[in-house]
């Protein structure tokens, strides 16, 4: 038995759920979801978004958790098990499984650059340098411009790598689980506190009014549904890698159906909290939420925070929340490559983490000037491809008995054959649509 199958795994149900929530709660929730809500009509966007979250969580999230747990391995071992069950040839599945692993590594490298930005801005918030820029947009924009260029943020990228992979080196239970048990409750608590404070400020009601306004005619616009689907798909971290690898650490006695539901609920709450902070804050500052992506978080919101009462404290709390969201997602993205080195090459965990740290840091430093294009390419094409491949392996290749047994293991109430129909004829086609239409909704940026 390899070291990977002997690894400690998650020690509690909520430790696993919080780690999965941490993997799902990321930049898509914070710098893209509020912009999507604003751009596409508040509740007019939210209704189809909620629908797609339910559909994807009840198929894709359950499937990836169950697949990883049944195989006791990451994507390579899990895909290999599926093809072995189908025709006795596990090598084919293992070869295909390399795609989501490489995708996870590529996205992790791009994410490392972004988390490096977040570390820098968290430091600047605590030191008072963000507040000192006031509402001088030339200074604020110049700061980010000098950060997000080739070789512009080397120190903070290395800090991001060291912090994230130190957590991983401590193991699944001792590092990843413990870190998420601290970061996720703290993130939600701080976001709630921010939301309450923003609520008390003059002008914030315009933001709430917009969020909860429904335009029935807007629901007839196909683009609303396409963007809502894209946001839900990427927000739930379905890519055939991170959820599969975390599922492989889950006890056979745990209920993946309940776990998937909890992940979907709390990921959606995190996105809503971000929207309930950012959109009313922009209303308080008299600003229009006309930009998503890094510009929202590192330029426009700084201007807004610096113009509101208590803006210095608001900025500190906000960037701590963003930092926890970034770290929790980053360690999930790096976990599949780390586990692969353990599974395929027999490396000790510390050796695997060290090897990935060298590769991740080296490439991240080199791509700073092109990170936006890098992340869009991976999230638009490689992530939905990984999700589609995992769905095909689970719902079509491994067989109905394996799939249903894997999902129902540890469940209080068994899922019936309807789950297979939903997966085959809804989730897999949705993953294909995500792959084909990805450029329309621009990945995670």
């Amino acid at each position: 038995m390899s070291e990977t199958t002997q690894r400690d795994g998650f020690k509690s149900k909520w430790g696993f759920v919080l780690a999965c929530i941490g993997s799902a709660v990321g930049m898509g929730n914070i710098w893209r979801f509020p912009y999507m809500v604003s751009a596409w009509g508040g509740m007019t966007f939210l209704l189809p978004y909620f629908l797609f979250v339910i559909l994807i969580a009840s198929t894709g999230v359950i499937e990836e958790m169950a697949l990883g747990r049944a195989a006791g391995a990451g994507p390579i071992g899990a895909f290999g098990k599926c093809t072995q069950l189908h025709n006795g040839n596990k090598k084919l599945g293992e070869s295909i499984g390399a795609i989501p692993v490489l995708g996870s590594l590529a996205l992790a490298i791009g994410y490392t650059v972004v988390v490096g930005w977040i570390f820098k801005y968290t430091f600047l918030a605590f030191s008072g340098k963000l507040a000192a820029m006031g509402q001088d947009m030339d200074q604020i924009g110049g700061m980010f411009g000098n950060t997000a260029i080739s070789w512009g943020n080397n120190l903070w990228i290395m800090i991001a790598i060291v912090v994230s992979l130190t957590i991983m080196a401590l193991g699944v239970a001792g590092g990843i689980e413990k870190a998420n048990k601290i970061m996720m409750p703290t993130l939600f608590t701080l976001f709630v506190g921010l939301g309450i404070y923003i609520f008390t400020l003059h002008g914030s009601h315009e933001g709430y009014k917009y969020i909860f306004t429904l335009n029935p005619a807007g629901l007839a616009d196909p683009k609303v549904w396409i963007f809502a689907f894209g946001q839900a798909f990427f927000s739930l971290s379905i890519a055939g890698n991170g959820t599969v690898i975390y599922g492989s650490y889950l006890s056979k006695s745990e209920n993946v159906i309940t776990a998937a539901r909890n992940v979907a609920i709390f990921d959606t709450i995190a996105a809503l909290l971000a929207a309930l902070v950012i959109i009313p804050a922009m209303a308080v500052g008299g600003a229009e939420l006309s930009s998503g992506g890094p510009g929202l978080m590192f330029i426009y919101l700084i201007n807004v925070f610096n113009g509101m009462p208590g803006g210095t404290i608001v900025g500190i709390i906000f960037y701590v929340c963003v930092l926890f969201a970034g770290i929790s997602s980053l360690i999930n993205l790096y976990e599949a490559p780390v586990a692969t080195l353990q599974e395929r090459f027999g490396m000790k965990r510390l050796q695997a983490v060290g090897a990935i740290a060298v590769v991740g840091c080296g490439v991240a430093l080199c791509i700073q000037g092109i990170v936006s294009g890098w992340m869009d390419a991976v999230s638009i094409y490689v992530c939905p491809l990984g999700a589609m491949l995992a769905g095909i392996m689970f719902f079509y290749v491994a067989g109905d008995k394996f799939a249903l047994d894997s999902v129902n293991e540890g469940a209080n109430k068994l899922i019936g054959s309807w789950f297979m129909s939903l997966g085959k004829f809804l989730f897999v086609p949705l993953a294909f649509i995500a792959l084909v239409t990805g450029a329309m909704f621009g990945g995670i940026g």
Side-chain angles (χ1 to χ4, degrees):
M1 185 179 289
S2 70
E3 182 182 339
T4 303
T5 38
Q6 295 175 339
R7 57 199 165 193
D8 49 3
F10 292 103
K11 297 300 184 186
S12 69
K13 175 181 70 175
W14 276 104
F16 168 74
V17 170
L18 287 170
C20 289
I21 292 168
S23 75
V25 175
M27 296 307 98
N29 296 75
I30 296 171
W31 76 28
R32 195 166 187 275
F33 181 79
Y35 166 65
M36 287 287 106
V37 173
S38 177
W40 294 99
M43 191 57 68
T44 311
F45 173 85
L46 288 173
L47 288 180
Y49 175 79
F50 294 149
L51 173 62
F52 284 122
V53 166
I54 292 169
L55 292 175
I56 295 167
S58 60
T59 52
V61 178
I62 292 174
E63 163 253 308
E64 292 197 1
M65 287 180 181
L67 175 59
R69 182 175 68 174
I76 292 178
F79 286 22
K81 185 177 183 68
C82 291
T83 55
Q84 185 176 35
L85 287 169
H86 184 73
N87 60 15
N89 180 9
K90 71 176 182 178
K91 294 295 183 184
L92 175 61
E94 289 175 345
S95 299
I96 296 172
I99 295 172
V101 172
L102 292 174
S104 187
L105 178 59
L107 192 56
I109 290 169
Y111 225 89
T112 299
V113 177
V114 175
V115 176
W117 297 343
I118 299 168
F119 265 100
K120 176 177 180 176
Y121 273 71
T122 304
F123 170 78
L124 293 175
F126 273 101
S127 68
K129 291 183 179 179
L130 287 187
M133 291 190 289
Q135 294 182 287
D136 185 337
M137 289 300 287
D138 288 335
Q139 267 197 15
I140 296 170
M143 172 69 76
F144 184 62
N146 291 328
T147 300
I149 58 173
S150 296
W151 311 102
N153 199 38
N154 301 338
L155 172 64
W156 295 103
I157 284 176
M158 290 187 281
I159 289 174
I161 282 281
V162 169
V163 171
S164 301
L165 292 177
T166 296
I167 292 171
M168 297 178 68
L170 294 172
V172 177
I176 296 173
E177 182 173 356
K178 284 186 177 179
N180 278 288
K181 280 184 172 179
I182 295 170
M183 291 191 294
M184 288 303 100
T186 304
L187 182 151
F188 280 92
T189 302
L190 291 177
F191 252 143
V192 169
L194 271 185
I196 292 171
Y197 176 69
I198 298 293
F199 177 79
T200 66
L201 300 181
H202 177 72
S204 63
H205 68 281
E206 290 296 331
Y208 304 119
K209 180 180 176 181
Y210 186 83
I211 292 171
F212 295 107
T213 295
L214 173 65
N215 174 19
L219 293 172
D221 185 350
K223 288 185 179 180
V224 171
W225 293 84
I226 291 172
F227 278 90
F229 163 61
Q231 182 67 33
F233 190 90
F234 287 111
S235 183
L236 289 172
S237 196
I238 300 300
N241 46 48
T243 306
V244 173
I245 193 62
Y246 274 6
S248 73
Y249 299 125
L250 185 62
S251 164
K252 302 288 187 183
S253 63
E254 296 296 346
N255 188 337
V256 296
I257 302 164
T258 301
R261 180 195 65 201
N262 289 332
V263 169
I265 289 171
F266 283 99
D267 177 69
T268 303
I269 290 173
L272 288 172
L273 285 174
L276 289 168
V277 167
I278 291 172
I279 294 176
M282 299 293 272
V284 168
E288 182 182 349
L289 187 60
S290 58
S291 174
L296 172 64
M297 203 162 67
F298 298 108
I299 299 175
Y300 301 111
L301 279 177
I302 293 173
N303 177 60
V304 170
F305 292 157
N306 286 347
M308 68 169 55
T312 300
I313 301 299
V314 170
I316 290 172
I317 295 172
F318 178 79
Y319 283 105
V320 169
C321 290
V322 175
L323 183 64
F324 285 173
I327 292 173
S328 60
S329 293
L330 188 59
I331 60 179
N332 174 258
L333 290 169
Y334 274 126
E335 183 60 26
V338 166
T340 297
L341 293 183
Q342 293 180 264
E343 292 173 4
R344 313 311 298 176
F345 302 102
M347 287 188 179
K348 301 291 186 184
R349 185 166 184 87
L350 193 57
Q351 293 173 323
V353 168
I356 292 298
V358 170
V359 173
C361 188
V363 179
L365 289 171
C366 294
I367 67 164
Q368 293 180 68
I370 61 166
V371 68
S372 179
W374 174 287
M375 292 184 72
D376 276 349
V378 176
S379 60
I380 288 171
Y381 301 110
V382 182
C383 289
L385 176 60
M388 184 178 71
L389 291 173
I392 290 171
M393 287 291 171
F394 188 80
F395 290 112
Y396 285 97
V397 176
D400 289 10
K401 184 179 185 306
F402 169 80
L404 286 174
D405 287 348
S406 301
V407 170
N408 286 321
E409 188 168 22
N412 299 321
K413 184 177 180 181
L414 301 185
I415 277 183
S417 58
W418 63 265
F419 172 75
M420 295 302 298
S421 298
L422 207 58
K424 289 178 179 179
F425 305 117
L426 179 68
F427 175 72
V428 173
L430 282 177
F432 176 74
I433 291 171
L435 178 63
V436 172
T437 64
M440 295 183 68
F441 43 76
I444 66 169

